Amino acid sequence: MAEILRMENITKIYPNGFMANKDVNFVVNEGEIHALVGENGAGKTTLMKILFGMEDFQGGSMLLDGKPANISSPLDAIDKGIGMVHQHFMQVPSLTVAENVTLGIEPGKGLMFDKRIAARITQEISDKYQLKVNAGERIADLGVGLRQKVEILKALVRKCRILILDEPTAVLTPQETEELFVQLKALKKDGIAIIFISHKLEEVMELCDRVTVLRHGRTIGTDVIENLDPAKISRMMVGRDVILEIEKEPAQPKDIVLTVDDLKYRNAEDVMTVDGISFGIRSGEIVGIAGVEGNGQNEVAELVAGIIKPAGGTIEISGKSIKNKSIRKIREMGLAYISEDRMVYGCAANLPIRENIMADRIHSKKYRKFGLFTDTRKINREIDELIEAFEIACDDRSQPVRMLSGGNIQKVIVAREFSSGAHLILANQPTRGIDVGTTEMIRKTLVRKAREDGVATLLISSDLNEILEVSDRLLVMKDGQIVAHFQDASKVSTDLLGEYMLGVRRMTPEEMGDLV
Amino acid sequence: MLDIIVKFLFSVIRVSTPLIFGALAACITKKAGLMNLAIESMMLASALAGVLVSGATQSLLLGMLAGFAAAIAITMIISYAAFVMKCDLYLTSIAMNTALVGGTVFVMFLATGQKANTAGSIASLSISSWNIPLIKEIPILGDILSGHNILTYVAFAMIFLVWFMLYKTKIGLRIRSVGENPNAAESVGISPRRIYFLSFGLSGFIAALGGMYMSMGYLSWFARDMMAGRGFISMSAMNIASGEPVSAALAALMFGSADALSNYMQMGKFPSELISMFPYVCTIVLLVLMSAVRTVKAAKQKQP
């Protein structure tokens, strides 16, 4: 089989200094399905954006059919025979399938748009590969599975030879996934090269011919599927590079603070993303939840924080249910929340540091003067103390948060959440995209809070260093369920953890024991 | 009595003509995803330009070309400000409306020394009326449909043309796709910015016909603020129809009826201030009713 695409030593550094790809090598042959696997943030999407002309890159070269190619934009990529099925479909809902597929290359004489030719072209290709899409239907009337087929059709009508599918099965039911695989295999027979981005190993094993694994922006290796098994791939995907050692004494858990019982959540697409999980956290201990992103961990955090409402089950903080309580009431019950998306939920970017820290406590009587006015002097003093204690690098307390670096923005949020007097801290990806120094500070503070102040902590993180170093006990989530429970996180190996995260292994309820 | 009804229906068509043009102009940009708030100023500019140039050159063709040019120039200024320089589209449009209310009077004063209207000072040309052969012979119907200004018939033809352009041509497909999902359009090589420029240009062309109808057909002179909110009423007509040209034209006819009715009621004993409010109250009532209907419909769809 002829080589169709070769990406050599690709290096991509974002303007903020983040190195997304480092010397990545990726070779795809005609008529193969090539899996590109890696954890979230491993650089798969960046590499594909480079291939599709959406991002430039600093080092390395790209060859199409053995000839050096310069892809300047997505349109250029389409011209050169590369098609991409985005996770978010690029479609116009009120138009028909045929209109969407031929948009931009409309058939017809002169100014006229010939609907019949458009429908015929679309239907022909749809029938040829048995995509089962009806060219005359409106996109708005189609389900997600068929809308994905329309994206594939769009690429095929434009005569693509390399088809990139970015986590195509994330939105599909198992039946739709089966069907998609049959169709992809038919495309492969026609000589089309398919790049399949995924972190679902069972799918990769079933569908793909070769696998390339990325980790932390680097290629770990490429091999044919016959030489691989899920355990091998998971070991390649999951690994630790740098180890920040955090010293901590053994936990001395006391009273139970958080109780979650048979918690369920159904998302907007009607999928059970949290499927009946139960666990508890005691004061003075840190419980980590590990898992590949998108397996329900984020939903658990938002459920406990009261941002989304459960479809079933109960959440209790210190024995009191949070049901029907406002977020402020929940916070008054003792919850502090470091959210996953710091710019959306964590802070008001245009407001000064002072206002951001005061946001959750300005209504407190503590900051009133004569019962009516705010005690500005007291507020300023406390803010300055926090800025010093959390080493926030800024001009002064009145600097807008958006002017700070990512790490310092997170410090502002952490300063607020850690100083609110909470006895339950929910930290969701607290150090994502943050410099090493701040990361270490945040991790150490989490441990100190638990040990010295007896705070109960729930840590959700996709950073294995973090989850293994900081947690006392460790839970693993997969497909909305808890699949493993380790009493001592420090004794867990990354290989073993990876196998649970990727669904290679699963503990029985007996093995897990009591989750409190 | 019959005579009054015939005259009334005739005047409905007469006063609806500029509203139909305005509504169609609004439909095109709406389908591209943007509101054209500046229809009022486009109409005003073309009304004045048509009168001035046709008066100066004594050529109807040149007068009309000037009218089109004035309205399209305004759309291009707005488009450049909004889509290239990234000013806020709606603020720019509102500024343009305000500027043109004074600006047209200023230009009129420079040209004629008058501040109220150009009647008597400029011998401008008008677009003639047309008695439709055969139809004019039909009793009643002939009296209603025949004998209107040529631009009135153009307005009705324009309903079909705009519909055809939007739904049967490549450019219409592109306009609609940009209006609904600019990212999707851009991903297949359609430049949303070009579509915005184009739809505003087309919108200006149609609005210009409405403006010239006012000063070279409905009346034969330009008067200060002669649009008197017709641009905005057209926009509500478009809004009620959510940008569909045929329904928007029907809505325009409805507002025209309210307008014509108020003209008739002025002959009675009603205070004229109350009556001149009538078309606008109609607009508000209709908009509330429409959105109520839509809410109910949407609620019904949710529970199958």
Side-chain angles (χ1 to χ4, degrees):
Chain A
M1 269 185 287
E3 178 184 304
I4 190 165
L5 167 74
R6 175 176 286 268
M7 296 174 88
E8 268 181 341
N9 300 321
I10 300 286
T11 297
K12 165 77 189 176
I13 302 165
Y14 280 102
N16 65 7
F18 178 67
M19 184 147 56
N21 284 150
K22 169 76 178 155
D23 296 331
V24 171
N25 291 304
F26 184 54
V27 179
V28 181
N29 292 334
E30 229 168 53
E32 75 164 342
I33 302 181
H34 196 129
L36 186 59
V37 298
E39 282 198 274
N40 284 69
K44 298 168 295 188
T45 305
T46 305
L47 188 67
M48 287 304 104
K49 279 185 172 168
I50 290 170
L51 173 57
F52 201 55
M54 293 161 84
E55 299 270 8
D56 56 354
F57 53 102
Q58 279 76 29
S61 58
M62 211 165 1
L63 293 98
L64 285 171
D65 296 314
K67 283 179 271 266
N70 175 26
I71 297 171
S72 57
S73 70
L75 279 182
D76 194 22
I78 293 170
D79 274 350
K80 293 190 161 97
I82 302 168
M84 177 130 162
V85 177
H86 299 269
Q87 272 179 303
H88 305 282
F89 304 141
M90 296 283 190
Q91 291 165 353
V92 186
S94 78
L95 300 186
T96 66
V97 170
E99 285 169 332
N100 266 285
V101 167
T102 56
L103 190 64
I105 49 166
E106 304 90 346
K109 278 188 192 132
L111 286 173
M112 304 294 297
F113 172 64
D114 196 326
K115 257 186 193 164
R116 263 179 304 172
I117 298 182
R120 207 186 60 222
I121 299 171
T122 310
Q123 200 64 53
E124 263 171 22
I125 297 185
S126 170
D127 292 347
K128 183 177 168 194
Y129 296 107
Q130 296 180 359
L131 295 178
K132 296 180 186 161
V133 180
N134 185 350
E137 266 187 285
R138 276 191 342 145
I139 295 290
D141 300 331
L142 300 181
V144 182
L146 284 174
R147 290 186 65 173
Q148 191 175 59
K149 305 289 158 57
V150 174
E151 284 299 287
I152 297 176
L153 267 177
K154 267 167 79 175
L156 292 175
V157 165
R158 287 169 174 77
K159 307 222 175 349
C160 82
R161 298 164 57 224
I162 302 173
L163 183 64
I164 307 165
L165 296 153
D166 190 359
E167 295 191 27
T169 58
V171 291
L172 301 181
T173 64
Q175 292 80 8
E176 285 173 325
T177 303
E178 274 311 306
E179 204 182 296
L180 175 71
F181 284 4
V182 172
Q183 291 152 349
L184 291 181
K185 283 172 184 164
L187 290 175
K188 172 177 111 170
K189 279 212 185 88
D190 252 27
I192 292 173
I194 295 168
I195 301 172
F196 185 83
I197 304 178
S198 180
H199 45 225
K200 295 185 184 166
L201 298 187
E202 56 272 44
E203 293 178 355
V204 170
M205 292 305 297
E206 184 190 335
L207 179 71
C208 300
D209 304 305
R210 286 202 297 165
V211 181
T212 293
V213 181
L214 295 186
R215 188 209 299 166
H216 299 304
R218 291 160 202 263
T219 346
I220 299 302
T222 300
D223 209 339
V224 292
I225 202 77
E226 287 78 20
N227 296 340
L228 295 168
D229 58 50
K232 262 189 197 164
I233 302 177
S234 91
R235 276 199 295 277
M236 288 164 85
M237 279 170 68
V238 180
R240 295 213 269 177
D241 293 344
V242 199
I243 295 171
L244 280 171
E245 293 269 356
I246 289 178
E247 288 175 24
K248 62 176 190 213
E249 302 141 25
Q252 279 158 355
K254 295 195 181 73
D255 303 338
I256 191 150
V257 176
L258 176 72
T259 322
V260 171
D261 187 35
D262 196 26
L263 189 64
K264 290 191 172 99
Y265 178 70
R266 200 185 285 279
N267 71 4
E269 279 88 46
D270 217 27
V271 178
M272 273 287 192
T273 48
V274 177
D275 195 3
I277 70 167
S278 307
F279 64 91
I281 302 178
R282 291 175 182 276
S283 86
E285 70 169 348
I286 301 174
V287 174
I289 299 184
V292 174
E293 264 177 74
N295 276 290
Q297 310 92 303
N298 191 42
E299 282 85 348
V300 170
E302 294 196 346
L303 285 165
V304 173
I307 295 172
I308 54 177
K309 305 278 169 241
T314 54
I315 301 166
E316 285 176 2
I317 296 176
S318 305
K320 287 192 208 104
S321 169
I322 67 161
K323 198 173 179 193
N324 295 331
K325 293 226 161 61
S326 69
I327 290 177
R328 190 200 281 189
K329 279 266 147 46
I330 296 171
R331 289 181 69 97
E332 279 169 2
M333 289 163 78
L335 175 88
Y337 180 41
I338 300 168
S339 66
E340 179 185 37
D341 192 331
R342 59 177 165 271
M343 299 318 283
V344 174
Y345 294 108
C347 69
N350 287 321
L351 292 185
I353 296 168
R354 195 176 85 122
E355 267 76 345
N356 268 288
I357 295 181
M358 287 307 294
D360 70 328
R361 60 199 67 164
I362 188 67
H363 52 273
S364 151
K365 284 212 175 70
K366 224 173 104 188
Y367 301 104
R368 297 277 170 74
K369 218 158 58 177
F370 313 121
L372 196 59
F373 307 102
T374 48
D375 190 343
T376 313
R377 212 177 300 166
K378 181 169 184 180
I379 290 173
N380 288 347
R381 198 175 56 236
E382 285 195 12
I383 298 293
D384 287 342
E385 280 167 16
L386 285 173
I387 289 175
E388 206 184 312
F390 285 87
E391 297 161 5
I392 301 169
C394 59
D395 295 346
D396 63 8
R397 58 182 176 259
S398 58
Q399 197 178 11
V401 163
R402 76 184 138 80
M403 314 279 280
L404 307 178
S405 71
N408 280 300
I409 295 175
Q410 192 72 343
K411 281 185 191 168
V412 172
I413 295 164
V414 165
R416 179 183 65 219
E417 299 301 321
F418 283 172
S419 63
S420 69
H423 57 274
L424 172 62
I425 289 177
L426 185 50
N428 190 3
Q429 314 282 10
T431 61
R432 168 179 288 171
I434 280 175
D435 60 281
V436 183
T438 309
T439 299
E440 194 183 352
M441 191 272 277
I442 291 175
R443 288 177 188 168
K444 281 187 172 155
T445 314
L446 279 171
V447 171
R448 200 188 68 230
K449 276 276 172 186
R451 295 295 182 271
E452 289 174 11
D453 304 346
V455 169
T457 307
L458 177 62
L459 171 69
I460 294 174
S461 178
S462 50
D463 182 328
L464 292 188
N465 278 324
E466 178 162 287
I467 208 92
L468 292 174
E469 285 292 328
V470 178
S471 313
D472 299 316
R473 284 192 294 131
L474 185 59
L475 303 170
V476 181
M477 276 186 84
K478 169 96 171 82
D479 295 331
Q481 294 175 331
I482 293 176
V483 295
H485 175 225
F486 301 99
Q487 282 294 348
D488 188 349
S490 62
K491 295 205 175 101
V492 181
S493 75
T494 47
D495 286 357
L496 188 65
L497 184 58
E499 290 182 9
Y500 283 110
M501 281 166 62
L502 293 157
V504 181
R505 283 164 178 259
R506 190 189 172 114
M507 280 188 190
T508 60
E510 291 74 40
E511 282 177 292
M512 281 194 250
D514 201 359
L515 299 187
V516 178
Chain B
M1 186 63 201
L2 186 69
D3 188 41
I4 293 178
I5 293 173
V6 167
K7 272 190 182 157
F8 173 71
L9 289 177
F10 183 87
S11 78
V12 165
I13 294 177
R14 208 169 87 93
V15 300
S16 298
T17 302
L19 302 180
I20 293 175
F21 280 125
L24 292 175
C27 281
I28 295 179
T29 62
K30 171 74 176 179
K31 282 289 169 192
L34 299 170
M35 283 272 241
N36 186 349
L37 287 179
I39 290 176
E40 186 93 358
S41 64
M42 295 173 194
M43 286 181 156
L44 210 51
S46 59
L48 178 64
V51 164
L52 289 181
V53 174
S54 74
T57 61
Q58 290 301 305
S59 155
L60 189 59
L61 180 72
L62 285 178
M64 289 190 72
L65 285 178
F68 288 128
I72 291 173
I74 287 177
T75 65
M76 287 303 118
I77 294 169
I78 291 174
S79 301
Y80 183 77
F83 311 132
V84 181
M85 306 307 284
K86 307 282 174 207
C87 298
D88 185 277
L89 171 65
Y90 300 132
L91 290 182
T92 315
S93 303
I94 291 168
M96 193 56 93
N97 285 338
T98 318
L100 266 275
V101 170
T104 47
V105 175
F106 177 67
V107 172
M108 176 167 67
F109 181 74
L110 286 183
T112 65
Q114 302 284 327
K115 286 184 186 170
N117 59 54
T118 64
S121 50
I122 293 182
S124 61
L125 305 179
S126 290
I127 297 155
S128 49
S129 303
W130 187 36
N131 288 310
I132 314 171
L134 293 177
I135 288 181
K136 74 170 182 214
E137 311 297 338
I138 307 171
I140 302 176
L141 203 61
D143 291 336
I144 297 171
L145 295 181
S146 180
H148 287 284
N149 191 282
I150 288 174
L151 287 183
T152 299
Y153 302 112
V154 172
F156 282 89
M158 196 58 83
I159 302 170
F160 172 75
L161 285 177
V162 169
W163 172 83
F164 187 84
M165 191 276 293
L166 284 175
Y167 289 101
K168 296 289 164 190
T169 65
K170 292 178 185 174
I171 204 71
L173 183 69
R174 290 179 175 203
I175 288 176
R176 286 183 292 140
S177 68
V178 167
E180 226 180 295
N181 189 348
N183 291 332
E186 203 167 5
S187 76
V188 293
I190 296 167
S191 151
R193 188 201 276 177
R194 273 165 70 177
I195 295 291
Y196 293 149
F197 265 90
L198 180 79
S199 59
F200 264 78
L202 287 172
S203 181
F205 176 81
I206 296 173
L209 287 167
M212 287 187 283
Y213 172 82
M214 288 306 291
S215 66
M216 299 164 80
Y218 190 83
L219 300 174
S220 53
W221 61 81
F222 178 85
R224 68 180 301 163
D225 195 24
M226 78 185 306
M227 289 312 136
R230 283 181 175 81
F232 293 107
I233 294 192
S234 321
M235 269 179 37
S236 5
M238 175 281 290
N239 234 340
I240 286 172
S242 50
E244 297 303 324
V246 178
S247 329
L250 286 176
L253 275 169
M254 205 152 50
F255 288 129
S257 310
D259 202 7
L261 196 62
S262 76
N263 285 342
Y264 269 73
M265 279 157 64
Q266 262 160 11
M267 288 186 257
K269 287 175 192 159
F270 300 97
S272 66
E273 288 82 2
L274 187 71
I275 290 160
S276 53
M277 218 172 73
F278 186 65
Y280 303 96
V281 173
C282 265
T283 313
I284 295 172
V285 170
L286 262 176
L287 284 175
V288 171
L289 275 179
M290 294 297 295
S291 82
V293 167
R294 261 178 220 151
T295 319
V296 172
K297 260 192 189 166
K300 268 189 184 162
Q301 264 178 358
K302 267 197 170 174
Q303 18 180 251

